[in-house]
Amino acid sequence: MAPVADPPRVPPPVVIALPAEIDMANAGQVGQQLGSALAPGVTTVIADMTATIFCDSSGISMLVRAHKQAAGSRTEVRLVVPSTVVLRALTLVEIDQLLPIYPTVSQALAARPVPGPHTRHG
């Protein structure tokens, strides 16, 4: 009987908890946190915006940069955005077309990779 190879192991997603407010004062630091999670072998990074109640244009720009950086290494970035205020800001600039958005971390963790344009899941 031939030996059976172990199935390839997919590393668990990396979850990064983001602050209550993301603005010009801390967007760079938040971007560095997300960038450091994009390590070799990581296939999914979840930006947990559960505590986030405000995200301005510098925060949105940081999310776009994280998406571009992740795409270069074939890593998927998922957002968790339960706040309707933050979700409205992100969808107005069509971030949901770049990144999948989930209402809870558990739903983001359970999701399968999403190819193509993204919409809110849940």
Side-chain angles (χ1 to χ4, degrees):
M1 195 185 318
V4 177
D6 287 334
R9 295 181 192 250
V10 177
V14 175
V15 180
I16 304 292
L18 301 186
E21 295 186 8
I22 304 171
D23 55 23
M24 188 171 35
N26 67 352
Q29 180 183 5
V30 170
Q32 288 176 344
Q33 283 182 293
L34 288 173
S36 68
L38 299 171
V42 173
T43 58
T44 305
V45 173
I46 297 173
D48 179 6
M49 299 177 78
T50 299
T52 306
I53 56 172
F54 177 79
C55 182
D56 74 1
S57 60
S58 57
I60 292 169
S61 294
M62 173 273 307
L63 292 172
V64 172
R65 280 194 304 276
H67 164 72
K68 289 178 180 177
Q69 184 181 356
S73 63
R74 297 181 184 233
T75 302
E76 182 183 20
V77 176
R78 300 175 186 169
L79 302 180
V80 174
V81 185
S83 165
T84 56
V85 172
V86 174
L87 182 62
R88 187 176 309 120
L90 296 177
T91 55
L92 279 173
V93 296
E94 299 185 343
I95 283 286
D96 56 330
Q97 299 301 309
L98 285 179
L99 302 168
I101 300 175
Y102 300 87
T104 67
V105 172
S106 60
Q107 287 174 315
L109 287 168
R112 296 188 183 279
V114 180
H118 302 293
T119 57
R120 183 175 168 111
H121 300 273

Tab-separated table of all heavy atoms in Angstrom, residues 38 47 49-50 59 82 105 107 111 113 118:
chain	number	residue	atom	x	y	z
A	38	LEU	N	1.720	40.487	7.421
A	38	LEU	CA	1.849	39.903	6.085
A	38	LEU	C	3.188	39.191	5.941
A	38	LEU	O	3.977	39.474	5.051
A	38	LEU	CB	1.696	40.993	5.019
A	38	LEU	CG	0.362	41.721	5.023
A	38	LEU	CD1	0.388	42.911	4.082
A	38	LEU	CD2	-0.762	40.767	4.645
A	47	ALA	N	-8.411	42.189	9.660
A	47	ALA	CA	-8.341	43.480	10.338
A	47	ALA	C	-9.610	43.608	11.165
A	47	ALA	O	-10.690	43.867	10.633
A	47	ALA	CB	-8.214	44.610	9.324
A	49	MET	N	-11.979	45.389	13.177
A	49	MET	CA	-12.398	46.753	13.479
A	49	MET	C	-13.615	46.746	14.410
A	49	MET	O	-14.407	47.689	14.410
A	49	MET	CB	-12.690	47.500	12.175
A	49	MET	CG	-11.464	47.608	11.275
A	49	MET	SD	-11.799	48.418	9.694
A	49	MET	CE	-11.826	50.145	10.209
A	50	THR	N	-13.733	45.701	15.233
A	50	THR	CA	-14.856	45.584	16.170
A	50	THR	C	-14.923	46.790	17.103
A	50	THR	O	-16.006	47.304	17.386
A	50	THR	CB	-14.744	44.276	16.981
A	50	THR	OG1	-14.780	43.176	16.064
A	50	THR	CG2	-15.878	44.142	17.975
A	59	GLY	N	-7.122	56.542	7.391
A	59	GLY	CA	-7.330	55.135	7.752
A	59	GLY	C	-7.772	54.314	6.555
A	59	GLY	O	-7.323	53.177	6.364
A	82	PRO	N	-18.451	45.873	12.490
A	82	PRO	CA	-19.825	45.857	12.984
A	82	PRO	C	-20.464	47.251	13.065
A	82	PRO	O	-21.680	47.370	13.038
A	82	PRO	CB	-19.708	45.228	14.363
A	82	PRO	CG	-18.311	45.501	14.793
A	82	PRO	CD	-17.491	45.563	13.534
A	105	VAL	N	-15.870	38.611	13.893
A	105	VAL	CA	-14.604	37.904	13.695
A	105	VAL	C	-14.864	36.433	13.377
A	105	VAL	O	-14.214	35.857	12.506
A	105	VAL	CB	-13.694	38.048	14.938
A	105	VAL	CG1	-12.465	37.160	14.821
A	105	VAL	CG2	-13.286	39.497	15.135
A	107	GLN	N	-17.306	35.059	11.805
A	107	GLN	CA	-17.708	34.895	10.409
A	107	GLN	C	-16.516	35.096	9.469
A	107	GLN	O	-16.386	34.386	8.475
A	107	GLN	CB	-18.843	35.851	10.059
A	107	GLN	CG	-20.158	35.410	10.688
A	107	GLN	CD	-21.263	36.432	10.478
A	107	GLN	OE1	-21.054	37.629	10.648
A	107	GLN	NE2	-22.439	35.949	10.139
A	111	ALA	N	-14.974	32.048	6.944
A	111	ALA	CA	-15.168	32.259	5.509
A	111	ALA	C	-14.097	31.567	4.683
A	111	ALA	O	-12.955	31.419	5.111
A	111	ALA	CB	-15.176	33.750	5.208
A	113	PRO	N	-11.798	31.655	1.150
A	113	PRO	CA	-11.234	32.745	0.343
A	113	PRO	C	-12.238	33.205	-0.714
A	113	PRO	O	-12.935	32.400	-1.314
A	113	PRO	CB	-10.012	32.109	-0.308
A	113	PRO	CG	-9.638	30.996	0.616
A	113	PRO	CD	-10.938	30.487	1.189
A	118	HIS	N	-15.697	42.103	-3.944
A	118	HIS	CA	-16.171	41.703	-2.625
A	118	HIS	C	-17.421	42.461	-2.223
A	118	HIS	O	-17.631	43.590	-2.612
A	118	HIS	CB	-15.066	41.918	-1.591
A	118	HIS	CG	-13.825	41.151	-1.916
A	118	HIS	ND1	-13.784	39.790	-1.893
A	118	HIS	CD2	-12.608	41.556	-2.326
A	118	HIS	CE1	-12.572	39.393	-2.244
A	118	HIS	NE2	-11.851	40.445	-2.521
